[in-house]
PDB file of all heavy atoms in Angstrom:
ATOM      1  N   PRO H 268      48.178  20.436  32.837  1.00 86.00           N
ATOM      2  CA  PRO H 268      46.910  19.838  33.280  1.00 86.00           C
ATOM      3  C   PRO H 268      46.987  19.434  34.743  1.00 86.00           C
ATOM      4  O   PRO H 268      48.041  19.037  35.236  1.00 86.00           O
ATOM      5  CB  PRO H 268      46.761  18.619  32.369  1.00 86.00           C
ATOM      6  CG  PRO H 268      48.158  18.282  31.949  1.00 86.00           C
ATOM      7  CD  PRO H 268      48.923  19.575  31.913  1.00 86.00           C
ATOM      8  N   MET H 269      45.874  19.556  35.431  1.00 87.00           N
ATOM      9  CA  MET H 269      45.815  19.177  36.830  1.00 87.00           C
ATOM     10  C   MET H 269      45.558  17.675  36.946  1.00 87.00           C
ATOM     11  O   MET H 269      44.571  17.146  36.427  1.00 87.00           O
ATOM     12  CB  MET H 269      44.716  19.958  37.549  1.00 87.00           C
ATOM     13  CG  MET H 269      44.938  21.456  37.562  1.00 87.00           C
ATOM     14  SD  MET H 269      46.374  21.958  38.556  1.00 87.00           S
ATOM     15  CE  MET H 269      47.632  22.147  37.276  1.00 87.00           C
ATOM     16  N   THR H 270      46.432  16.985  37.630  1.00 86.00           N
ATOM     17  CA  THR H 270      46.374  15.532  37.737  1.00 86.00           C
ATOM     18  C   THR H 270      45.065  15.064  38.364  1.00 86.00           C
ATOM     19  O   THR H 270      44.590  15.641  39.349  1.00 86.00           O
ATOM     20  CB  THR H 270      47.556  15.025  38.583  1.00 86.00           C
ATOM     21  OG1 THR H 270      48.764  15.440  37.963  1.00 86.00           O
ATOM     22  CG2 THR H 270      47.546  13.519  38.707  1.00 86.00           C
ATOM     23  N   THR H 271      44.494  14.009  37.802  1.00 86.00           N
ATOM     24  CA  THR H 271      43.281  13.421  38.375  1.00 86.00           C
ATOM     25  C   THR H 271      43.641  12.547  39.576  1.00 86.00           C
ATOM     26  O   THR H 271      44.803  12.160  39.756  1.00 86.00           O
ATOM     27  CB  THR H 271      42.541  12.564  37.340  1.00 86.00           C
ATOM     28  OG1 THR H 271      43.373  11.446  36.986  1.00 86.00           O
ATOM     29  CG2 THR H 271      42.227  13.373  36.092  1.00 86.00           C
ATOM     30  N   ASN H 272      42.646  12.225  40.373  1.00 85.00           N
ATOM     31  CA  ASN H 272      42.880  11.390  41.549  1.00 85.00           C
ATOM     32  C   ASN H 272      43.345   9.993  41.155  1.00 85.00           C
ATOM     33  O   ASN H 272      44.194   9.389  41.821  1.00 85.00           O
ATOM     34  CB  ASN H 272      41.604  11.297  42.383  1.00 85.00           C
ATOM     35  CG  ASN H 272      41.838  10.633  43.727  1.00 85.00           C
ATOM     36  OD1 ASN H 272      42.721  11.023  44.479  1.00 85.00           O
ATOM     37  ND2 ASN H 272      41.038   9.615  44.032  1.00 85.00           N
ATOM     38  N   GLU H 273      42.809   9.469  40.031  1.00 83.00           N
ATOM     39  CA  GLU H 273      43.233   8.149  39.570  1.00 83.00           C
ATOM     40  C   GLU H 273      44.697   8.162  39.147  1.00 83.00           C
ATOM     41  O   GLU H 273      45.450   7.202  39.405  1.00 83.00           O
ATOM     42  CB  GLU H 273      42.353   7.691  38.400  1.00 83.00           C
ATOM     43  CG  GLU H 273      40.911   7.362  38.770  1.00 83.00           C
ATOM     44  CD  GLU H 273      40.079   8.601  39.045  1.00 83.00           C
ATOM     45  OE1 GLU H 273      40.513   9.716  38.645  1.00 83.00           O
ATOM     46  OE2 GLU H 273      39.006   8.470  39.668  1.00 83.00           O
ATOM     47  N   GLU H 274      45.118   9.230  38.492  1.00 85.00           N
ATOM     48  CA  GLU H 274      46.521   9.333  38.073  1.00 85.00           C
ATOM     49  C   GLU H 274      47.443   9.459  39.277  1.00 85.00           C
ATOM     50  O   GLU H 274      48.549   8.909  39.294  1.00 85.00           O
ATOM     51  CB  GLU H 274      46.683  10.532  37.136  1.00 85.00           C
ATOM     52  CG  GLU H 274      46.005  10.332  35.792  1.00 85.00           C
ATOM     53  CD  GLU H 274      45.845  11.612  34.997  1.00 85.00           C
ATOM     54  OE1 GLU H 274      45.979  12.702  35.596  1.00 85.00           O
ATOM     55  OE2 GLU H 274      45.580  11.535  33.795  1.00 85.00           O
ATOM     56  N   PHE H 275      46.980  10.188  40.292  1.00 88.00           N
ATOM     57  CA  PHE H 275      47.776  10.287  41.514  1.00 88.00           C
ATOM     58  C   PHE H 275      47.948   8.917  42.164  1.00 88.00           C
ATOM     59  O   PHE H 275      49.058   8.537  42.570  1.00 88.00           O
ATOM     60  CB  PHE H 275      47.105  11.249  42.491  1.00 88.00           C
ATOM     61  CG  PHE H 275      47.645  11.174  43.887  1.00 88.00           C
ATOM     62  CD1 PHE H 275      48.856  11.765  44.217  1.00 88.00           C
ATOM     63  CD2 PHE H 275      46.962  10.478  44.875  1.00 88.00           C
ATOM     64  CE1 PHE H 275      49.362  11.673  45.499  1.00 88.00           C
ATOM     65  CE2 PHE H 275      47.463  10.379  46.155  1.00 88.00           C
ATOM     66  CZ  PHE H 275      48.673  10.989  46.468  1.00 88.00           C
ATOM     67  N   LYS H 276      46.858   8.146  42.254  1.00 86.00           N
ATOM     68  CA  LYS H 276      46.950   6.814  42.844  1.00 86.00           C
ATOM     69  C   LYS H 276      47.888   5.917  42.032  1.00 86.00           C
ATOM     70  O   LYS H 276      48.638   5.113  42.598  1.00 86.00           O
ATOM     71  CB  LYS H 276      45.558   6.183  42.926  1.00 86.00           C
ATOM     72  CG  LYS H 276      44.638   6.836  43.953  1.00 86.00           C
ATOM     73  CD  LYS H 276      43.284   6.155  43.975  1.00 86.00           C
ATOM     74  CE  LYS H 276      42.367   6.783  45.016  1.00 86.00           C
ATOM     75  NZ  LYS H 276      41.021   6.133  45.019  1.00 86.00           N
ATOM     76  N   ALA H 277      47.834   6.060  40.715  1.00 85.00           N
ATOM     77  CA  ALA H 277      48.716   5.263  39.863  1.00 85.00           C
ATOM     78  C   ALA H 277      50.178   5.617  40.112  1.00 85.00           C
ATOM     79  O   ALA H 277      51.056   4.747  40.123  1.00 85.00           O
ATOM     80  CB  ALA H 277      48.358   5.484  38.395  1.00 85.00           C
ATOM     81  N   ALA H 278      50.462   6.906  40.337  1.00 86.00           N
ATOM     82  CA  ALA H 278      51.836   7.323  40.606  1.00 86.00           C
ATOM     83  C   ALA H 278      52.331   6.772  41.936  1.00 86.00           C
ATOM     84  O   ALA H 278      53.470   6.300  42.054  1.00 86.00           O
ATOM     85  CB  ALA H 278      51.930   8.857  40.595  1.00 86.00           C
ATOM     86  N   VAL H 279      51.474   6.819  42.950  1.00 87.00           N
ATOM     87  CA  VAL H 279      51.850   6.276  44.257  1.00 87.00           C
ATOM     88  C   VAL H 279      52.073   4.772  44.162  1.00 87.00           C
ATOM     89  O   VAL H 279      53.046   4.231  44.704  1.00 87.00           O
ATOM     90  CB  VAL H 279      50.770   6.592  45.314  1.00 87.00           C
ATOM     91  CG1 VAL H 279      51.110   5.927  46.637  1.00 87.00           C
ATOM     92  CG2 VAL H 279      50.646   8.094  45.505  1.00 87.00           C
ATOM     93  N   PHE H 280      51.173   4.098  43.464  1.00 86.00           N
ATOM     94  CA  PHE H 280      51.327   2.657  43.300  1.00 86.00           C
ATOM     95  C   PHE H 280      52.615   2.326  42.555  1.00 86.00           C
ATOM     96  O   PHE H 280      53.331   1.378  42.901  1.00 86.00           O
ATOM     97  CB  PHE H 280      50.130   2.086  42.540  1.00 86.00           C
ATOM     98  CG  PHE H 280      50.277   0.630  42.213  1.00 86.00           C
ATOM     99  CD1 PHE H 280      50.010  -0.336  43.160  1.00 86.00           C
ATOM    100  CD2 PHE H 280      50.712   0.230  40.961  1.00 86.00           C
ATOM    101  CE1 PHE H 280      50.151  -1.677  42.866  1.00 86.00           C
ATOM    102  CE2 PHE H 280      50.866  -1.101  40.658  1.00 86.00           C
ATOM    103  CZ  PHE H 280      50.586  -2.063  41.609  1.00 86.00           C
ATOM    104  N   SER H 281      52.910   3.097  41.514  1.00 84.00           N
ATOM    105  CA  SER H 281      54.131   2.862  40.748  1.00 84.00           C
ATOM    106  C   SER H 281      55.364   3.020  41.626  1.00 84.00           C
ATOM    107  O   SER H 281      56.307   2.228  41.546  1.00 84.00           O
ATOM    108  CB  SER H 281      54.189   3.834  39.565  1.00 84.00           C
ATOM    109  OG  SER H 281      55.400   3.699  38.863  1.00 84.00           O
ATOM    110  N   ALA H 282      55.368   4.057  42.473  1.00 86.00           N
ATOM    111  CA  ALA H 282      56.498   4.261  43.373  1.00 86.00           C
ATOM    112  C   ALA H 282      56.615   3.128  44.386  1.00 86.00           C
ATOM    113  O   ALA H 282      57.714   2.641  44.673  1.00 86.00           O
ATOM    114  CB  ALA H 282      56.343   5.601  44.100  1.00 86.00           C
ATOM    115  N   LYS H 283      55.483   2.692  44.907  1.00 86.00           N
ATOM    116  CA  LYS H 283      55.497   1.612  45.896  1.00 86.00           C
ATOM    117  C   LYS H 283      56.013   0.316  45.282  1.00 86.00           C
ATOM    118  O   LYS H 283      56.778  -0.424  45.903  1.00 86.00           O
ATOM    119  CB  LYS H 283      54.088   1.420  46.454  1.00 86.00           C
ATOM    120  CG  LYS H 283      54.004   0.384  47.560  1.00 86.00           C
ATOM    121  CD  LYS H 283      52.578   0.268  48.085  1.00 86.00           C
ATOM    122  CE  LYS H 283      52.496  -0.796  49.170  1.00 86.00           C
ATOM    123  NZ  LYS H 283      51.105  -0.932  49.682  1.00 86.00           N
ATOM    124  N   ARG H 284      55.589   0.047  44.057  1.00 84.00           N
ATOM    125  CA  ARG H 284      56.024  -1.177  43.391  1.00 84.00           C
ATOM    126  C   ARG H 284      57.516  -1.135  43.078  1.00 84.00           C
ATOM    127  O   ARG H 284      58.214  -2.145  43.161  1.00 84.00           O
ATOM    128  CB  ARG H 284      55.228  -1.367  42.097  1.00 84.00           C
ATOM    129  CG  ARG H 284      55.506  -2.680  41.398  1.00 84.00           C
ATOM    130  CD  ARG H 284      54.675  -2.801  40.143  1.00 84.00           C
ATOM    131  NE  ARG H 284      55.019  -1.766  39.181  1.00 84.00           N
ATOM    132  CZ  ARG H 284      54.355  -1.545  38.062  1.00 84.00           C
ATOM    133  NH1 ARG H 284      53.293  -2.264  37.789  1.00 84.00           N
ATOM    134  NH2 ARG H 284      54.731  -0.602  37.232  1.00 84.00           N
ATOM    135  N   ALA H 285      58.018   0.048  42.722  1.00 85.00           N
ATOM    136  CA  ALA H 285      59.436   0.166  42.364  1.00 85.00           C
ATOM    137  C   ALA H 285      60.342   0.186  43.590  1.00 85.00           C
ATOM    138  O   ALA H 285      61.545  -0.064  43.473  1.00 85.00           O
ATOM    139  CB  ALA H 285      59.658   1.434  41.546  1.00 85.00           C
ATOM    140  N   PHE H 286      59.770   0.475  44.749  1.00 86.00           N
ATOM    141  CA  PHE H 286      60.607   0.650  45.933  1.00 86.00           C
ATOM    142  C   PHE H 286      61.400  -0.597  46.295  1.00 86.00           C
ATOM    143  O   PHE H 286      62.583  -0.529  46.612  1.00 86.00           O
ATOM    144  CB  PHE H 286      59.749   1.080  47.124  1.00 86.00           C
ATOM    145  CG  PHE H 286      60.518   1.144  48.416  1.00 86.00           C
ATOM    146  CD1 PHE H 286      61.418   2.160  48.642  1.00 86.00           C
ATOM    147  CD2 PHE H 286      60.357   0.173  49.391  1.00 86.00           C
ATOM    148  CE1 PHE H 286      62.136   2.221  49.815  1.00 86.00           C
ATOM    149  CE2 PHE H 286      61.068   0.223  50.565  1.00 86.00           C
ATOM    150  CZ  PHE H 286      61.963   1.257  50.781  1.00 86.00           C
ATOM    151  N   SER H 287      60.740  -1.751  46.275  1.00 79.00           N
ATOM    152  CA  SER H 287      61.433  -2.977  46.684  1.00 79.00           C
ATOM    153  C   SER H 287      62.627  -3.261  45.783  1.00 79.00           C
ATOM    154  O   SER H 287      63.691  -3.665  46.257  1.00 79.00           O
ATOM    155  CB  SER H 287      60.463  -4.159  46.672  1.00 79.00           C
ATOM    156  OG  SER H 287      59.898  -4.329  45.378  1.00 79.00           O
ATOM    157  N   LEU H 288      62.459  -3.030  44.486  1.00 81.00           N
ATOM    158  CA  LEU H 288      63.565  -3.251  43.550  1.00 81.00           C
ATOM    159  C   LEU H 288      64.692  -2.260  43.792  1.00 81.00           C
ATOM    160  O   LEU H 288      65.862  -2.640  43.890  1.00 81.00           O
ATOM    161  CB  LEU H 288      63.052  -3.131  42.108  1.00 81.00           C
ATOM    162  CG  LEU H 288      64.127  -3.142  41.022  1.00 81.00           C
ATOM    163  CD1 LEU H 288      64.847  -4.482  40.996  1.00 81.00           C
ATOM    164  CD2 LEU H 288      63.499  -2.835  39.664  1.00 81.00           C
ATOM    165  N   TRP H 289      64.341  -0.986  43.923  1.00 84.00           N
ATOM    166  CA  TRP H 289      65.366   0.050  44.094  1.00 84.00           C
ATOM    167  C   TRP H 289      66.033  -0.058  45.459  1.00 84.00           C
ATOM    168  O   TRP H 289      67.233   0.153  45.598  1.00 84.00           O
ATOM    169  CB  TRP H 289      64.726   1.416  43.912  1.00 84.00           C
ATOM    170  CG  TRP H 289      65.680   2.566  43.914  1.00 84.00           C
ATOM    171  CD1 TRP H 289      65.715   3.601  44.799  1.00 84.00           C
ATOM    172  CD2 TRP H 289      66.734   2.812  42.983  1.00 84.00           C
ATOM    173  NE1 TRP H 289      66.719   4.471  44.478  1.00 84.00           N
ATOM    174  CE2 TRP H 289      67.358   4.020  43.370  1.00 84.00           C
ATOM    175  CE3 TRP H 289      67.218   2.131  41.872  1.00 84.00           C
ATOM    176  CZ2 TRP H 289      68.440   4.547  42.671  1.00 84.00           C
ATOM    177  CZ3 TRP H 289      68.293   2.670  41.172  1.00 84.00           C
ATOM    178  CH2 TRP H 289      68.884   3.855  41.576  1.00 84.00           C
ATOM    179  N   HIS H 290      65.259  -0.391  46.456  1.00 82.00           N
ATOM    180  CA  HIS H 290      65.799  -0.523  47.814  1.00 82.00           C
ATOM    181  C   HIS H 290      66.848  -1.625  47.884  1.00 82.00           C
ATOM    182  O   HIS H 290      67.823  -1.519  48.629  1.00 82.00           O
ATOM    183  CB  HIS H 290      64.653  -0.819  48.783  1.00 82.00           C
ATOM    184  CG  HIS H 290      65.092  -1.083  50.189  1.00 82.00           C
ATOM    185  ND1 HIS H 290      65.642  -0.108  50.997  1.00 82.00           N
ATOM    186  CD2 HIS H 290      65.070  -2.215  50.939  1.00 82.00           C
ATOM    187  CE1 HIS H 290      65.937  -0.631  52.173  1.00 82.00           C
ATOM    188  NE2 HIS H 290      65.598  -1.898  52.162  1.00 82.00           N
ATOM    189  N   ASN H 291      66.652  -2.683  47.107  1.00 82.00           N
ATOM    190  CA  ASN H 291      67.580  -3.811  47.124  1.00 82.00           C
ATOM    191  C   ASN H 291      68.675  -3.706  46.067  1.00 82.00           C
ATOM    192  O   ASN H 291      69.475  -4.629  45.914  1.00 82.00           O
ATOM    193  CB  ASN H 291      66.803  -5.119  46.927  1.00 82.00           C
ATOM    194  CG  ASN H 291      65.871  -5.414  48.093  1.00 82.00           C
ATOM    195  OD1 ASN H 291      66.245  -5.235  49.251  1.00 82.00           O
ATOM    196  ND2 ASN H 291      64.657  -5.844  47.790  1.00 82.00           N
ATOM    197  N   THR H 292      68.691  -2.601  45.339  1.00 83.00           N
ATOM    198  CA  THR H 292      69.748  -2.387  44.353  1.00 83.00           C
ATOM    199  C   THR H 292      71.036  -1.983  45.073  1.00 83.00           C
ATOM    200  O   THR H 292      71.005  -1.102  45.931  1.00 83.00           O
ATOM    201  CB  THR H 292      69.342  -1.279  43.365  1.00 83.00           C
ATOM    202  OG1 THR H 292      68.146  -1.661  42.701  1.00 83.00           O
ATOM    203  CG2 THR H 292      70.437  -1.044  42.330  1.00 83.00           C
ATOM    204  N   PRO H 293      72.161  -2.608  44.772  1.00 85.00           N
ATOM    205  CA  PRO H 293      73.420  -2.254  45.454  1.00 85.00           C
ATOM    206  C   PRO H 293      73.737  -0.771  45.323  1.00 85.00           C
ATOM    207  O   PRO H 293      73.443  -0.138  44.297  1.00 85.00           O
ATOM    208  CB  PRO H 293      74.460  -3.110  44.717  1.00 85.00           C
ATOM    209  CG  PRO H 293      73.688  -4.251  44.142  1.00 85.00           C
ATOM    210  CD  PRO H 293      72.338  -3.708  43.797  1.00 85.00           C
ATOM    211  N   VAL H 294      74.326  -0.216  46.367  1.00 83.00           N
ATOM    212  CA  VAL H 294      74.677   1.208  46.367  1.00 83.00           C
ATOM    213  C   VAL H 294      75.603   1.532  45.208  1.00 83.00           C
ATOM    214  O   VAL H 294      75.489   2.586  44.577  1.00 83.00           O
ATOM    215  CB  VAL H 294      75.329   1.591  47.711  1.00 83.00           C
ATOM    216  CG1 VAL H 294      75.868   3.016  47.660  1.00 83.00           C
ATOM    217  CG2 VAL H 294      74.322   1.463  48.842  1.00 83.00           C
ATOM    218  N   SER H 295      76.521   0.636  44.893  1.00 84.00           N
ATOM    219  CA  SER H 295      77.452   0.886  43.799  1.00 84.00           C
ATOM    220  C   SER H 295      76.721   1.037  42.470  1.00 84.00           C
ATOM    221  O   SER H 295      77.098   1.863  41.630  1.00 84.00           O
ATOM    222  CB  SER H 295      78.480  -0.248  43.706  1.00 84.00           C
ATOM    223  OG  SER H 295      77.837  -1.502  43.516  1.00 84.00           O
ATOM    224  N   THR H 296      75.658   0.259  42.273  1.00 85.00           N
ATOM    225  CA  THR H 296      74.871   0.365  41.043  1.00 85.00           C
ATOM    226  C   THR H 296      74.155   1.702  40.994  1.00 85.00           C
ATOM    227  O   THR H 296      74.107   2.374  39.958  1.00 85.00           O
ATOM    228  CB  THR H 296      73.854  -0.776  40.961  1.00 85.00           C
ATOM    229  OG1 THR H 296      74.541  -2.025  41.004  1.00 85.00           O
ATOM    230  CG2 THR H 296      73.043  -0.685  39.680  1.00 85.00           C
ATOM    231  N   ARG H 297      73.587   2.101  42.118  1.00 85.00           N
ATOM    232  CA  ARG H 297      72.907   3.394  42.166  1.00 85.00           C
ATOM    233  C   ARG H 297      73.891   4.540  41.937  1.00 85.00           C
ATOM    234  O   ARG H 297      73.564   5.540  41.298  1.00 85.00           O
ATOM    235  CB  ARG H 297      72.211   3.554  43.514  1.00 85.00           C
ATOM    236  CG  ARG H 297      70.993   2.671  43.669  1.00 85.00           C
ATOM    237  CD  ARG H 297      70.347   2.872  45.016  1.00 85.00           C
ATOM    238  NE  ARG H 297      70.635   1.783  45.929  1.00 85.00           N
ATOM    239  CZ  ARG H 297      70.441   1.843  47.240  1.00 85.00           C
ATOM    240  NH1 ARG H 297      69.991   2.948  47.778  1.00 85.00           N
ATOM    241  NH2 ARG H 297      70.710   0.819  48.002  1.00 85.00           N
ATOM    242  N   GLN H 298      75.088   4.387  42.457  1.00 86.00           N
ATOM    243  CA  GLN H 298      76.090   5.431  42.259  1.00 86.00           C
ATOM    244  C   GLN H 298      76.462   5.578  40.787  1.00 86.00           C
ATOM    245  O   GLN H 298      76.649   6.692  40.296  1.00 86.00           O
ATOM    246  CB  GLN H 298      77.335   5.117  43.083  1.00 86.00           C
ATOM    247  CG  GLN H 298      77.165   5.397  44.570  1.00 86.00           C
ATOM    248  CD  GLN H 298      78.406   5.033  45.359  1.00 86.00           C
ATOM    249  OE1 GLN H 298      78.965   3.946  45.191  1.00 86.00           O
ATOM    250  NE2 GLN H 298      78.840   5.922  46.218  1.00 86.00           N
ATOM    251  N   ARG H 299      76.542   4.456  40.080  1.00 88.00           N
ATOM    252  CA  ARG H 299      76.881   4.539  38.658  1.00 88.00           C
ATOM    253  C   ARG H 299      75.791   5.279  37.880  1.00 88.00           C
ATOM    254  O   ARG H 299      76.086   6.033  36.948  1.00 88.00           O
ATOM    255  CB  ARG H 299      77.086   3.134  38.088  1.00 88.00           C
ATOM    256  CG  ARG H 299      78.445   2.536  38.435  1.00 88.00           C
ATOM    257  CD  ARG H 299      78.720   1.284  37.621  1.00 88.00           C
ATOM    258  NE  ARG H 299      77.885   0.164  38.019  1.00 88.00           N
ATOM    259  CZ  ARG H 299      78.200  -0.691  38.981  1.00 88.00           C
ATOM    260  NH1 ARG H 299      79.338  -0.550  39.649  1.00 88.00           N
ATOM    261  NH2 ARG H 299      77.386  -1.697  39.285  1.00 88.00           N
ATOM    262  N   ILE H 300      74.538   5.069  38.267  1.00 88.00           N
ATOM    263  CA  ILE H 300      73.449   5.812  37.637  1.00 88.00           C
ATOM    264  C   ILE H 300      73.603   7.302  37.919  1.00 88.00           C
ATOM    265  O   ILE H 300      73.400   8.152  37.041  1.00 88.00           O
ATOM    266  CB  ILE H 300      72.094   5.295  38.139  1.00 88.00           C
ATOM    267  CG1 ILE H 300      71.877   3.847  37.683  1.00 88.00           C
ATOM    268  CG2 ILE H 300      70.956   6.180  37.653  1.00 88.00           C
ATOM    269  CD1 ILE H 300      70.611   3.209  38.226  1.00 88.00           C
ATOM    270  N   MET H 301      74.001   7.621  39.148  1.00 87.00           N
ATOM    271  CA  MET H 301      74.188   9.027  39.511  1.00 87.00           C
ATOM    272  C   MET H 301      75.328   9.663  38.723  1.00 87.00           C
ATOM    273  O   MET H 301      75.224  10.810  38.278  1.00 87.00           O
ATOM    274  CB  MET H 301      74.474   9.131  41.014  1.00 87.00           C
ATOM    275  CG  MET H 301      73.329   8.701  41.886  1.00 87.00           C
ATOM    276  SD  MET H 301      71.843   9.679  41.603  1.00 87.00           S
ATOM    277  CE  MET H 301      72.435  11.296  42.030  1.00 87.00           C
ATOM    278  N   PHE H 302      76.411   8.943  38.538  1.00 91.00           N
ATOM    279  CA  PHE H 302      77.533   9.473  37.756  1.00 91.00           C
ATOM    280  C   PHE H 302      77.088   9.754  36.323  1.00 91.00           C
ATOM    281  O   PHE H 302      77.458  10.778  35.738  1.00 91.00           O
ATOM    282  CB  PHE H 302      78.700   8.480  37.766  1.00 91.00           C
ATOM    283  CG  PHE H 302      79.562   8.574  38.987  1.00 91.00           C
ATOM    284  CD1 PHE H 302      79.668   7.503  39.869  1.00 91.00           C
ATOM    285  CD2 PHE H 302      80.277   9.733  39.267  1.00 91.00           C
ATOM    286  CE1 PHE H 302      80.456   7.579  41.003  1.00 91.00           C
ATOM    287  CE2 PHE H 302      81.075   9.819  40.399  1.00 91.00           C
ATOM    288  CZ  PHE H 302      81.170   8.744  41.268  1.00 91.00           C
ATOM    289  N   LYS H 303      76.307   8.842  35.766  1.00 91.00           N
ATOM    290  CA  LYS H 303      75.809   9.048  34.408  1.00 91.00           C
ATOM    291  C   LYS H 303      74.862  10.234  34.358  1.00 91.00           C
ATOM    292  O   LYS H 303      74.897  11.047  33.410  1.00 91.00           O
ATOM    293  CB  LYS H 303      75.104   7.772  33.933  1.00 91.00           C
ATOM    294  CG  LYS H 303      74.529   7.857  32.525  1.00 91.00           C
ATOM    295  CD  LYS H 303      75.617   8.069  31.475  1.00 91.00           C
ATOM    296  CE  LYS H 303      75.035   8.056  30.068  1.00 91.00           C
ATOM    297  NZ  LYS H 303      76.068   8.300  29.041  1.00 91.00           N
TER     298      LYS H 303
END
Side-chain angles (χ1 to χ4, degrees):
M269 298 293 98
T270 301
T271 65
N272 189 52
E273 291 74 17
E274 291 165 344
F275 166 77
K276 290 180 179 179
V279 175
F280 174 81
S281 176
K283 184 179 179 181
R284 186 179 63 188
F286 174 73
S287 58
L288 172 65
W289 186 242
H290 175 68
N291 294 318
T292 300
V294 172
S295 58
T296 302
R297 288 180 256 165
Q298 284 178 312
R299 281 192 290 272
I300 295 175
M301 295 300 299
F302 277 117
K303 180 63 176 178

